Amino acid sequence: MSNQKAKLIIFTGPSGVGKGTILTDFFKKVDKNIVYSISSTTRHPRDGEINGMHYFFITKNEFENLIKEDAFLEYANYSGNYYGTSKKFVEEKLSENKSVLLEIELQGALQVMKKCPDAVTIFIKPPTFEELEQRLRGRHSESEEAIQKRLTAAREEIKNADKFHYVIENDIVESAVNKLIEIYDKETK
Ligand code: 5GP
């Protein structure tokens, strides 16, 4: 049995800031007492995304049925699609004394902060807004309209960074990952 204090960790930051890259590296380096919560979404998979690994890709109808069944700890409509966190998964893992990391956008993060005041909250911000725009455009996966929606959401998200316990600037990925590991160790050990 580990002595770890299992925590719910909210990891939020604007689309394009590099959350995915940081988390891939983070999960390679940390112990096995923390798990990533795979969200459900109605967005279409991007090239290379795998159902059940990156997301559970479901229809709007399926998502709305899950809302009715109260299956989500939180959910949000972001940029025209639904995204949500499974309540059952989070509760099960915490009861097994595992920490759970939620990679979610701002509206969902605010819902979880209200419901779970003990959650550790981390906001990841870009060095500059211009850099974020470049990264979003560099992905070549979205239409101009979708990019504009994401940039509008990003402005709103960055304004709310001070609601989080920790703010990490993603300037150099390696140092952002190290900061995340430090926070995880401090909060759970
Ligand atoms: P993307 O479409 O780029 O994968 O995700 C768009 C945004 O939705 C990102 O900021 C991502 O962190 C967020 N997101 C992913 N899963 C969830 C979720 O379950 N709930 C909420 N509220 N946001 C999510």
Side-chain angles (χ1 to χ4, degrees):
M1 218 29 204
S2 76
N3 291 323
Q4 123 133 359
K5 294 174 266 171
K7 290 275 173 75
L8 185 59
I9 300 177
I10 303 175
F11 192 69
T12 297
S15 176
V17 76
K19 288 174 296 197
T21 313
I22 294 172
L23 291 182
T24 304
D25 210 21
F26 170 76
F27 277 102
K28 277 188 200 147
K29 291 181 174 164
V30 280
D31 57 41
K32 298 283 169 268
N33 293 320
I34 179 162
V35 290
Y36 178 81
S37 158
I38 302 168
S39 301
S40 295
T41 183
T42 58
R43 155 165 97 56
H44 292 297
R46 296 191 186 115
D47 278 353
E49 282 184 332
I50 297 165
N51 189 30
M53 183 172 156
H54 297 94
Y55 283 107
F56 296 107
F57 294 101
I58 63 176
T59 63
K60 189 166 176 242
N61 202 13
E62 285 168 328
F63 200 103
E64 286 173 346
N65 282 332
L66 289 170
I67 297 175
K68 280 187 208 136
E69 290 165 19
D70 196 24
F72 293 117
L73 174 64
E74 63 72 37
Y75 70 91
N77 195 313
Y78 173 89
S79 234
N81 288 297
Y82 281 126
Y83 295 82
T85 301
S86 159
K87 192 192 273 184
K88 184 162 171 261
F89 179 84
V90 172
E91 284 172 356
E92 264 175 25
K93 294 299 164 189
L94 289 173
S95 75
E96 292 166 13
N97 205 32
K98 299 257 189 226
S99 292
V100 182
L101 188 138
L102 309 182
E103 187 214 320
I104 58 178
E105 53 66 70
L106 179 70
Q107 305 164 63
L110 297 175
Q111 291 172 44
V112 182
M113 285 179 200
K114 260 199 194 152
K115 283 189 188 165
C116 314
D118 291 339
V120 177
T121 62
I122 305 169
F123 189 88
I124 174 98
K125 68 168 195 182
T128 63
F129 199 80
E130 290 66 37
E131 178 130 359
L132 182 75
E133 184 162 358
Q134 271 176 18
R135 287 189 204 171
L136 266 176
R137 293 190 184 284
R139 218 150 60 174
H140 301 301
S141 58
E142 258 103 11
S143 64
E144 180 58 29
E145 191 195 347
I147 290 172
Q148 287 303 333
K149 277 191 190 165
R150 281 169 188 260
L151 288 171
T152 305
R155 275 197 192 85
E156 197 52 36
E157 298 199 292
I158 292 168
K159 274 193 227 155
N160 282 272
D162 60 359
K163 297 201 169 99
F164 290 71
H165 296 128
Y166 301 95
V167 177
I168 302 176
E169 184 174 310
N170 188 17
D171 193 355
I172 299 160
V173 175
E174 200 187 346
S175 72
V177 173
N178 288 339
K179 281 186 195 139
L180 182 58
I181 294 173
E182 262 173 45
I183 295 168
Y184 168 64
D185 285 341
K186 179 172 160 234
E187 293 285 348
T188 61
K189 305 276 157 38

